Amino acid sequence: MSASEAPSASELDTLVARAAAAFAQAGTPADLENAKAQYLGKTGHLTTLMKGLAALSVEEKKARGAAINQAKQAVEAALNARRQALADAELARQLQAEALDVTLPGRQRGAGGLHPVSLAWERIEQIFGSMGFDVADGPEIESDWFNFTALGNPPNHPARSMQDTFYVDMQDADGQPYCLRTHTSPMQIRYATAHAKRHAAELTAGRMREIRVIAPGRTYRVDNDATHSPMFHQVEGLWLGENVSFKDLKAVYLDFCKTFFETDDLALRFRPSYFPFTEPSAEIDIQFQSGPLAGKWLEVSGSGQVHPQVVRNMGLDPERFIGFAFGSGIDRLAMLRYGVSDLRQFFDGDVRFLQQFA
Ligand code: PHE
């Protein structure tokens, strides 16, 4: 078919069919544009036919022109249909490739948990809090006066060797070095001294203002084995009033242990001991009647009636302020509660160990 010849109707149909077949063959938009150029481009079949109309008479132009136009529209329709089909296929491919499985569980942040020592610590505060004890906090770098001397343990006293500690290169008013506190007992002095000042007017007027406080916190000693760490935790207890006796200590401590360990099957034993700031003094041992630790006496606390000189050092009258103090190992209590046999596991920071308590 040359440009000058008018195409027959069947030739046009064949052309449309060939175009549609070529478009259908095009697998990509680029292939399709190439195929399009062959029919609709500047030198494409249909364009050439259009140009050929110029040579025809007006009558023929009308008839043939309309037929060619129809064919051109049919080719354009086939082209557009194929374009749309390719675009749809591409979209489907993309959706498939970027598919989101919304049924997969989301990525979660690992939930943290409290350290077993913190768990024990919070429990202790909660239990003593329910018995009317205040909770106090104080410095870990302590002066010689609060850590030793005010507690009946002056320089060169033999009892100092019971608590070897770390010293800080800094001196207090008495020329003594500051130390990392070896126990929470200095909080007895700090809290009671503040109490005496705060209630001075009432106390001078002869009114009683009891002291009932616990002071949990970090303590330090030169010690390191399966049951001792250079840093450990203690909780101090102090109850001073007009008629507070060892009997109250026993009741309070037994109550505490039963709640802390969640068992009534528990015995308490007071074993005579020595501390420069209590008289008499006792170690408190507990014994479980059942469970893996049943039958063994386990030491959990030092205790005693607060020494009159210590009460005087607090700025209080030892004739009026009588009572007990205790100092218990929080880590020790946590070990017993959670069945941990090596104290060092608490401080190694091994997540596999810690996870068990979260
Ligand atoms: N502070 C003592 C210790 O750490 C324990 C204690 C506290 C004893 C209070 C008696 C009274 O060993």
Side-chain angles (χ1 to χ4, degrees):
M1 183 173 65
S2 79
S4 54
E5 277 172 46
S8 69
S10 73
E11 274 173 332
L12 281 174
D13 286 348
T14 309
L15 191 62
V16 171
R18 271 173 43 213
F23 296 160
Q25 283 255 305
T28 67
D31 288 349
L32 185 60
E33 293 315 304
N34 282 338
K36 172 201 160 188
Q38 285 182 33
Y39 294 90
L40 299 169
K42 267 187 197 156
T43 57
H45 300 306
L46 279 156
T47 318
T48 312
L49 287 178
M50 281 298 210
K51 281 182 186 157
L53 288 178
L56 302 179
S57 68
V58 175
E59 286 302 297
E60 277 177 323
K61 261 185 200 158
K62 259 193 191 162
R64 294 304 177 193
I68 295 170
N69 247 334
Q70 229 173 22
K72 191 181 171 196
Q73 277 165 19
V75 170
E76 277 170 348
L79 175 71
N80 286 334
R82 184 61 185 154
R83 271 192 184 138
Q84 190 60 50
L86 285 178
D88 287 351
E90 170 62 12
L91 182 64
R93 193 197 58 75
Q94 265 183 22
L95 285 175
Q96 174 71 33
E98 294 162 19
L100 268 187
D101 184 352
V102 293
T103 65
L104 275 178
R107 284 195 200 111
Q108 280 163 359
R109 227 205 256 193
L114 286 182
H115 191 280
V117 171
S118 302
L119 290 171
W121 181 327
E122 286 200 345
R123 219 174 145 70
I124 291 164
E125 285 191 5
Q126 195 260 320
I127 296 169
F128 280 106
S130 77
M131 292 194 245
F133 282 76
D134 194 6
V135 177
D137 193 16
E140 289 169 33
I141 297 177
E142 192 53 285
S143 73
D144 195 80
W145 166 257
F146 285 113
N147 195 78
F148 294 117
T149 305
L151 292 162
N153 202 349
N156 303 319
H157 191 289
R160 284 220 177 184
S161 61
M162 287 163 71
Q163 300 184 354
D164 202 3
T165 186
F166 304 94
Y167 286 89
V168 176
D169 201 3
M170 194 169 71
Q171 289 185 353
D172 63 20
D174 304 322
Q176 295 292 330
Y178 278 84
C179 67
L180 298 188
R181 65 179 181 188
T182 57
H183 50 178
T184 43
S185 297
M187 284 307 295
Q188 289 187 36
I189 311 291
R190 286 186 175 275
Y191 186 88
T193 306
H195 178 93
K197 285 204 185 109
R198 189 169 37 224
H199 302 294
E202 282 170 77
L203 293 173
T204 327
R207 292 224 300 282
M208 181 34 106
R209 270 282 198 165
E210 273 197 356
I211 290 175
R212 210 186 302 181
V213 66
I214 60 161
R218 275 185 282 277
T219 47
Y220 303 82
R221 284 186 210 174
V222 183
D223 261 337
N224 202 11
D225 60 44
T227 51
H228 297 90
S229 134
M231 188 284 302
F232 57 107
H233 300 84
Q234 279 195 340
V235 55
E236 197 75 8
L238 177 68
W239 188 352
L240 291 175
E242 239 144 14
N243 267 312
V244 186
S245 72
F246 234 90
K247 176 183 81 193
D248 299 299
L249 168 60
K250 190 170 180 182
V252 163
Y253 212 86
L254 184 60
D255 234 34
F256 161 70
C257 286
K258 284 181 174 176
T259 315
F260 185 83
F261 292 110
E262 295 176 276
T263 175
D264 281 338
D265 258 0
L266 190 131
L268 217 59
R269 176 174 84 174
F270 286 83
R271 192 160 33 83
S273 184
Y274 171 79
F275 299 101
F277 39 94
T278 46
E279 181 59 37
S281 304
E283 302 286 349
I284 307 178
D285 300 339
I286 60 170
Q287 189 189 64
F288 295 102
Q289 310 303 308
S290 56
L293 294 168
K296 281 187 214 156
W297 283 108
L298 310 156
E299 183 182 322
V300 289
S301 189
S303 69
Q305 282 290 114
V306 180
H307 195 288
Q309 183 54 43
V310 172
V311 177
R312 233 170 265 126
N313 292 342
M314 293 166 172
L316 294 168
D317 178 2
E319 297 293 328
R320 295 188 60 212
F321 280 85
I322 292 166
F324 64 79
F326 61 83
S328 314
I330 298 181
D331 316 294
R332 183 97 184 110
L333 290 168
M335 282 171 81
L336 295 173
R337 178 165 160 84
Y338 298 115
V340 174
S341 55
D342 191 330
L343 173 69
R344 289 169 292 199
Q345 288 190 289
F346 282 153
F347 308 122
D348 281 348
D350 187 332
V351 180
R352 291 167 302 177
F353 171 76
L354 296 172
Q355 253 169 358
Q356 302 174 68
F357 306 92

